[in-house]
Amino acid sequence: MASLTTKNLTKSFGTVEVLKGIDLEIDDGGFLVLVGPSGCGKSTLLNCIAGLEKTTSGEIRIGERNVEGLHPSQRDIAMVFQSYALYPNMTVRGNISFGMEIRGIDKAEQERAIAEVAEILQIGDLLDRKPMQLSGGQRQRVAMGRALVRHPQVFLFDEPLSNLDAKLRVDMRTEIKRLHHRLGTTIVYVTHDQIEALTLASKIAVLEAGYLQQAGTPDEVYNDPANMFVADFMGSPSMNLIESTLVEAGTGLAIVISGHGGSEITLPAPDTPEMRKHVGGPVVFGIRPEAMTDPDGADRTSPRIETRDCFIEVSQPAGSDTFALTPLGGKECIARFRADARIELGAFAPVSFNMTKAVFFDPITTDRIR
Amino acid sequence: MSHPAQENAINAGRLTRILIYTVLIFFVIYYLLPLWVMVSNSLKTLDEIRGGDMLAPPADITFEPWRQAWSQTQIGVEATGLKPYFLNSIIMVVPAVLLSTLLGALNGYVMTKWEFPGVNLIFGAMLLACFIPFQIVLIPMARILGMLGLAGTLGGLIMVHTVYGLGFTTLFFRNYYAAFPTELVRAAQIDGAGFFQVFRRILLPSSGPIIVVTIIWQFTNVWNDFLFGASFSGYSSTPITVALNNLVNSSTGVKEYNVHFAGAILAALPTLVVYIVSGRYFVRGLMAGAVKG
């Protein structure tokens, strides 16, 4: 087990720069999730850590060791691929033991190691089958088994669940989390699914266009996003990003948001030096759907609940909640009402804003205003 | 009822069916006729052939022409039959096919899984090798064989056929391996497998269909080649195609048509056997990739 650090890591394919100076750190035993939309460079970053792609510049350390120039097999890592990459011509047993065979580990030890992972992953009865004869979930287990027998310093997972159906994905997610608790090995995990990121990670790194947008605990990334990209990307439904105008109101600051048909609502804003710089100008007001509720559903522990009348256009019952759509700042915003809240469409209704959860962004730089 | 297309197929009608079979039977006869002529005439005596009717079955079956063609007839200056030349061809074909297949597989592996700058240029150049007519390479090849001291030997012929076949075998394997998932190679690398271990343990075991296609292709081409054989073989390294020509085209004495037919069948037999034995793999190999596993 070991920590993992990247320092100012860059990677170019020809003239295209895919990674633009990534600084990351994950502690020994941590679970780092790299998340971002397609093409953000997260898989490239993983391949660089694995040694499957050569980095252009920068440094990668596994434990205390600089792994620059080391062959993938010498980095003490194990990788689970999106397609599982099981050797089609070998049985499950052969797949799991292939690496040990190459490293010249004796037969008895191989058998012991196979039995051990087969027990952990409950694939004992599949050992003599070929990958073709396995279901998606079983292949996934075998792929993890192949990684487990190595007892590596770091596990690398490249979108391991994206080929599974929705239900199986949830099951395997739990399984991976359990496995991590049991083994305590450092994991780097790539996904484009932000729910997977939030549920699994001890640390999330959000990538976009080759830049690291934010790295932090799931709570930090979710509740304290560094910029509008992170705010929008994490969470489902995503955060409402509402255009508003910052004005002075009495002793403090307030934002003014245009609503339905020329109406306006005003909400208090935190009075900080940073915010003061934007007085009279536009700011983006970010608030998650669950912080915009019907008054009865508002978080009673929050000291700052502001209730305003908003025009409800559409409601979308979703079983456990009902999502209400209201136009604010020229956009449809989603509020999360209780499932049994009575919603009258096409009319104004009181909406409670939990202002402790509100965040503000600079619309030009898209960065957070603190 | 829910499958109208199927209904139509079933109700296509008796007349259509008869028509289809008639046409098919006609073509079967049309294609099998030359074979029939060769086989039946190779079993006739020379007198019977001279009697006329080429299509008639042999009245009196004799295997003498076959014995003649195989081991007794005059080819060139010696009465050896086709036997030594048949062996020459085997000695030439087997290593040439195996070598060009193996090298083609290695080329395909390198060009798809270990890409290097300029790989497409090199692949393009190798593709060109498929389109170069034999005649163009004759004189440079003769020079090279001479310089290597391989002129007029079976070794020289093996080299010529290996080199000439490389363009095709590389093309086959490159295209096959291009569809082979790179993640498997990466997984094997992480498992610690080296360049040749990945090739031998991961790629080759999955290459069955394309190996068969390549072997059939190369075997047929090398076995049937006449020009290289006529140009570069010596007295003791003449392949069967050239010997057959010498047999049929010899201008002395009587034309023994029955022996010629038997000789021609002998010369064609190995390729026929290869097709019959591995034909179904050939079709399967050509279809590989069409259906994803």
Side-chain angles (χ1 to χ4, degrees), chain B residues 110 145 162 172 174 207:
Chain B
V110 170
L145 287 174
T162 305
F172 291 158
R174 197 210 81 107
S207 312

Side-chain angles (χ1 to χ4, degrees), chain B residues 140-153 155-157 159-160 232:
Chain B
M141 192 59 93
R143 284 278 298 158
I144 289 171
L145 287 174
M147 287 193 291
L148 293 174
L150 289 170
T153 65
L157 276 179
M159 194 197 91
V160 171
F232 301 133

Side-chain angles (χ1 to χ4, degrees), chain B residues 25-37:
Chain B
I25 288 166
F26 171 77
F27 274 109
V28 166
I29 293 171
Y30 181 78
Y31 283 116
L32 284 180
L33 208 57
L35 186 66
W36 165 249
V37 168

Side-chain angles (χ1 to χ4, degrees), chain A residues 321-338:
Chain A
D321 307 286
T322 297
F323 294 107
L325 269 63
T326 172
L328 285 176
K331 263 199 322 198
E332 288 293 345
C333 293
I334 300 176
R336 188 172 191 164
F337 284 18
R338 288 171 304 131

